[in-house]
Amino acid sequence: MSEPLSYTATELLAVLSARELKNGQVIFAGVGTPLLAATLAQRLGCPEITILFEGGVIGAYIEDGRLPPSANDQRCAKLANAVLGSSEVMLLMQRGYVDIGFLGGAQIDAYGNLNSSFIGDWHEPKTRLPGSGGANDISSLTDFIVSIRHEKRRFVEKVDFITSPGHVAGGTSRRTGGLLRGGCRRVVTDLGVFGFDETTRRMKLLALSPGATLEQVRDNTGFDLLVADQLATTALVTAQELAVLRKLDPQRIFTA
């Protein structure tokens, strides 16, 4: 028997996120894990994926070993279909042309709301964070996927501040609050893949990552978690998936 493959948590997040994408989708991706995931899907089975960047690039194709450090780097634009302004890309989301956005944050709650603004009381926060950037636009206008390390301090019952709205307070609260489409579709962590209950919109564990246990997930989640009736285990990371990722990032700047 061959020995199991060794990979980092970031590589696992990229692989599991890539598997959530479908051919022909338009993906709003940031640098790091979202770009690794979108490019991995583009290389393996989804050649007609269109990658958008907040900086204005449409139809990016990232060269091996030349991952951009920011969404405004010129490496984003090489071989792209078009380069517009940031406002034009945001308008594409408003018009419904973007299928999936990728987001992260310091906190996520039971309804998929994200906080990337501050920790603690907003009058006197313990920690100030980078803020929204384009994250609120993405979360308000598209279905989005969250890729995040699974830690109890990140998975909280209620975020300290909603930077990026998910399903808000559950049920129909997102729609009644004026957000007529989109919402948190999937949460991908190093421990598993999560969706949301169709009625309550509360987070539900759909599949465990290889080697992870339900007890481990619950111990690292700060709220009562729903669990699918038929809890699955994600397929093992393949040598081909790892080879593509490591060719994209040979110096392991993003995947270490």
Side-chain angles (χ1 to χ4, degrees):
M1 294 179 63
S2 60
E3 294 186 6
L5 296 172
S6 177
Y7 47 81
T8 67
T10 301
E11 288 173 329
L12 177 62
L13 286 176
V15 168
L16 295 180
S17 299
R19 291 174 181 174
E20 294 296 325
L21 304 181
K22 297 178 181 178
N23 198 30
Q25 287 181 324
V26 178
I27 309 297
F28 199 113
V31 296
T33 302
L35 181 55
L36 287 168
T39 305
L40 176 61
Q42 195 179 55
R43 296 282 205 276
L44 299 179
C46 299
E48 295 177 0
I49 274 179
T50 299
I51 299 174
L52 272 63
F53 287 112
E54 186 176 344
V57 173
I58 297 177
Y61 186 88
I62 303 303
E63 295 180 294
D64 292 337
R66 294 184 59 80
L67 284 167
S70 82
N72 294 309
D73 190 273
Q74 289 300 305
R75 280 169 282 192
C76 296
K78 189 172 182 180
L79 303 177
N81 295 331
V83 180
L84 307 175
S86 295
S87 59
E88 283 83 358
V89 171
M90 296 302 180
L91 284 170
L92 289 176
M93 285 197 294
Q94 289 184 339
R95 294 165 181 163
Y97 289 119
V98 177
D99 297 302
I100 296 290
F102 272 102
L103 291 175
Q107 292 179 325
I108 186 169
D109 67 20
Y111 297 108
N113 302 305
L114 289 164
N115 173 22
S116 57
S117 296
F118 51 80
I119 302 298
D121 189 320
W122 70 274
H123 294 286
E124 293 185 43
K126 296 177 182 178
T127 305
R128 292 187 181 275
L129 301 169
S132 173
N136 184 276
D137 299 74
I138 295 168
S139 66
S140 298
L141 299 168
T142 70
D143 288 323
F144 62 92
I145 296 172
V146 177
S147 295
I148 190 172
R149 297 288 183 93
H150 205 125
E151 301 171 317
K152 196 166 188 175
R153 66 189 179 121
R154 293 180 180 272
F155 281 70
V156 296
E157 179 66 40
K158 186 177 181 180
V159 294
D160 293 341
F161 182 83
I162 298 179
T163 309
S164 308
H167 298 292
V168 191
T172 61
S173 59
R174 180 180 172 92
R175 185 172 183 84
T176 56
L179 301 177
L180 303 183
R181 62 174 183 268
C184 193
R185 175 180 288 188
R186 286 287 183 272
V187 179
V188 177
T189 82
D190 46 321
L191 297 183
V193 177
F194 304 77
F196 293 86
D197 182 78
E198 290 285 337
T199 303
T200 66
R201 293 301 185 184
R202 196 171 176 89
M203 195 182 297
K204 177 188 289 188
L205 175 62
L206 303 178
L208 292 166
S209 298
T213 66
L214 178 56
E215 181 181 16
Q216 185 181 9
V217 173
R218 282 177 166 156
D219 287 345
N220 285 279
T221 304
F223 52 83
D224 291 334
L225 186 66
L226 301 179
V227 179
D229 292 335
Q230 297 183 337
L231 183 60
T233 299
T234 61
L236 295 172
V237 176
T238 69
Q240 185 181 25
E241 288 168 328
L242 285 180
V244 171
L245 287 176
R246 291 171 183 178
K247 198 172 180 181
L248 282 168
D249 186 18
Q251 294 179 304
R252 311 299 293 277
I253 295 171
F254 296 97
T255 57

